[in-house]
Amino acid sequence: MPKTAATSPLAADPSRWKALVFIALAQLMVVLDATIVNIALPSAQSDLGISDGNRQWVITAYALAFGGLLLFGGRIADKWGRKNAFIVGLIGFALASALGGAANGEAMMLGARGLQGAFGALLAPAALSLLAVMFTDATERAKAFGIYGAIAGGGGAVGLILGGFLTEYLNWRWTFFVNIPFAIVAAVGAWLVIREPAHGRNRAPLDIPGVVLSTVGLVALVYGFTRAESAGWSDTVTVGMFVASAVLLAAFVFVESRVKSPLLPLRVLLERNRGGVYLSLGLAVIAMFGLFLFLTYYLQVVKGFSPVKTGFAFLPMIAGMITGSTQIGARLMTRVAPRLLMGPGFLLAAVGMLLLTQLEVGSSYPALILPAQLLLGLGMGTAFMPAMSLATHGVNPADAGVASAMVNTSQQVGGAIGTALLNTIAASATTAYLTDHAAEAAAGGPAAKLVQAQAMVEGYSSAIWWAVGILAASSAIALTLINTGRPGKGGPVASGDGDGAEAEAAVKIPVIAH
């Protein structure tokens, strides 16, 4: 009897669950780093003498390097081997974090953040693709990706809690130093327990034109959205970045369709299930990043919460995400089609977001914000888990790294878009409110402060309405584009990307029947 994915030696590897612990730890470190620095930024800015005009670069330097180098990092993982890329990424991230924590000025800080982003771009796709090639049984895969999805979705909120605690009780430098033990434990554990299949590497020569076009194009895109937030959408440089990005990425697609060994084989993007995941997940992250931003400012500025209290205020969302991923998504993914988890999941998150459109200056946390966060977390956790699994749906093992990188790219670009777009909408609504209530604002005293607070809340509410629509669109895309059946179901093999030997290798990764 021929071996199947469920009975292959790879599926029986006893180290895979131990490996998941270290992969999940590394993913948590990368995801929480995207938000942990936000709370520490005011203190770091003061200590290092960073100007108001340049403080955004502490965030932007990380985002540009991470977003711009993800596809390159994914392909390097395919060539070097995911275990090697994973360990190098961890060591590099730890060293960059040590540099950031020891920073004595603006240049050293910005350099450290750029290096963190670069090594994160190597680490993140390697982590996800390792799961794709190590967990081949449908039921086990669902559990593994349930854990991974919960971390991917909730890590940002964990970063807010940890950032608040470290900044308030220790020092902002510990928001960098805290990465070092994470990285050391994950690297040592990975070295000891991860066993990567030898046949999964991509030995093709590196597509240098593709690397240059994709990196510069993505950097231009992320920077365009980041600059739009501060300089405006009509700013000459902002518009120039968007035009340059469109030209470069169009050239990238053209090159990839012509070269023999592309950086990003178009088959990875054009398979409808993966394409549906990348698009719906990218849109959902727009809404999530906007929410983190607005809710953080609402709780700290309007409600007067401390950084630590603000971080703990996000706990219901984390609990909801963990429950949605591990108890709903993981349990149901082997029983129902992924679109029946992703579509309703995004829709449930939209309902939670809809509750937050009712925010007022005096809104009750237990009565409004807590239940809204629970619904958001449950919905996102339920949707994230099958999305992460489907990211490598039917893909060749040799393309697993770059397919995984596309998930992170959609999230990173979605985060940049969400922060810039929703912040612009909020600012416009706040300005309009202040204009309509100019007389009260000019009066001074408590009345003026109340008008200022009401204007901010009006801005948040307006932007959150857009986030509701974006999540509804994510749900519609997931239900429309994703048509694969439940994992483990008998029937034809999901469409692979390769042919010949590569196609044969592709079915060794767990396939999802139509």
Side-chain angles (χ1 to χ4, degrees):
M1 179 178 171
K3 289 181 180 179
T4 65
T7 60
S8 69
L10 179 60
D13 182 354
S15 69
R16 63 193 180 281
W17 289 107
K18 295 177 184 176
L20 175 61
V21 173
F22 303 112
I23 293 169
L25 186 64
Q27 174 66 10
L28 176 62
M29 182 185 71
V30 172
V31 174
L32 68 81
D33 200 75
T35 54
I36 193 173
V37 176
N38 289 14
I39 287 180
L41 184 54
S43 300
Q45 179 187 356
S46 176
D47 280 2
L48 300 179
I50 301 173
S51 68
D52 287 346
N54 287 341
R55 68 182 174 188
Q56 66 163 334
W57 282 100
V58 177
I59 307 300
T60 304
Y62 180 89
L64 291 180
F66 189 73
L69 293 170
L70 270 167
L71 289 177
F72 181 46
R75 184 51 89 197
I76 289 296
D78 288 333
K79 286 182 69 64
W80 280 2
R82 288 108 200 166
K83 177 179 177 178
N84 293 337
F86 184 73
I87 293 171
V88 170
L90 283 167
I91 294 170
F93 201 93
L95 292 173
S97 298
L99 192 66
N104 57 12
E106 182 177 317
M108 190 171 172
M109 169 60 76
L110 298 184
R113 290 292 283 164
L115 283 173
Q116 277 188 312
F119 283 106
L122 180 63
L123 174 59
L128 183 56
S129 56
L130 276 171
L131 288 189
V133 298
M134 292 187 75
F135 286 88
T136 57
D137 175 77
T139 302
E140 290 189 349
R141 183 179 172 91
K143 292 177 183 176
F145 276 93
I147 295 168
Y148 189 90
I151 290 170
V158 173
L160 294 173
I161 295 174
L162 196 56
F165 179 84
L166 293 173
T167 303
E168 191 162 330
Y169 294 114
L170 293 173
N171 184 282
W172 65 264
R173 295 182 185 276
W174 282 96
T175 61
F176 289 89
F177 291 145
V178 73
N179 291 325
I180 298 172
F182 276 93
I184 291 173
V185 171
V188 172
W191 178 262
L192 293 174
V193 305
I194 289 180
R195 302 288 181 267
E196 182 185 358
H199 70 265
R201 291 195 188 184
N202 188 329
R203 304 291 184 179
L206 192 61
D207 170 23
I208 301 299
V211 169
V212 174
L213 289 170
S214 67
T215 300
V216 180
L218 287 171
V219 165
L221 182 62
V222 173
Y223 181 58
F225 279 108
T226 302
R227 184 177 175 85
E229 184 184 357
S230 57
W233 295 91
S234 59
D235 174 71
T236 304
V237 177
T238 300
V239 174
M241 287 294 106
F242 286 138
V243 172
S245 174
V247 171
L248 289 165
L249 292 178
F252 171 68
V253 172
F254 177 79
V255 168
E256 298 308 274
S257 68
R258 295 291 188 272
V259 298
K260 184 178 179 181
S261 303
L263 174 70
L264 175 62
L266 296 185
R267 61 181 178 264
V268 171
L269 286 177
L270 297 179
E271 201 278 321
R272 66 180 291 166
N273 291 286
R274 285 196 297 274
V277 166
Y278 301 147
L279 189 54
S280 62
L281 202 57
L283 285 173
V285 170
I286 291 176
M288 283 295 291
F289 267 66
L291 176 73
F292 284 148
L293 178 70
F294 299 135
L295 211 48
T296 299
Y297 274 99
Y298 173 79
L299 293 171
Q300 287 198 39
V301 179
V302 178
K303 304 296 282 186
F305 283 23
S306 68
V308 170
K309 190 175 179 181
T310 299
F312 279 104
F314 280 95
L315 276 178
M317 188 184 300
I318 299 173
M321 284 182 174
I322 292 172
T323 303
S325 285
T326 62
Q327 301 304 310
I328 300 176
R331 290 177 183 272
L332 293 181
M333 191 172 170
T334 55
R335 302 177 186 178
V336 301
R339 67 179 179 274
L340 299 181
L341 291 173
M342 290 179 64
F346 288 136
L347 208 54
L348 182 62
V351 172
M353 198 74 82
L354 186 63
L355 289 180
L356 290 175
T357 61
Q358 306 305 306
L359 272 181
E360 296 177 357
V361 173
S363 292
S364 164
Y365 176 86
L368 178 66
I369 299 172
L370 189 151
Q373 286 197 62
L374 283 173
L375 290 175
L376 270 161
L378 282 170
M380 285 295 195
T382 300
F384 265 54
M385 184 272 191
M388 292 294 175
S389 181
L390 276 177
T392 48
H393 167 78
V395 77
N396 294 333
D399 292 333
V402 76
S404 302
M406 273 304 302
V407 181
N408 289 284
T409 301
S410 67
Q411 289 179 296
Q412 187 64 28
V413 172
I417 294 172
T419 303
L421 178 64
L422 296 182
N423 202 40
T424 302
I425 293 168
S428 299
T430 296
T431 301
Y433 187 93
L434 287 173
T435 301
D436 292 341
H437 298 79
E440 299 168 61
K449 289 183 179 179
L450 180 60
V451 169
Q452 288 282 350
Q454 288 171 333
M456 282 190 285
V457 174
E458 179 70 20
Y460 303 154
S461 179
S462 298
I464 290 170
W465 270 111
W466 280 79
V468 172
I470 291 169
L471 283 171
S474 294
S475 175
I477 289 168
L479 289 169
T480 303
L481 287 183
I482 296 172
N483 66 349
T484 184
R486 63 181 175 84
K489 180 182 176 183
V493 170
S495 57
D497 295 325
D499 49 39
E502 285 190 336
E504 184 179 349
V507 300
K508 294 178 184 177
I509 286 183
V511 293
I512 303 175
H514 288 295

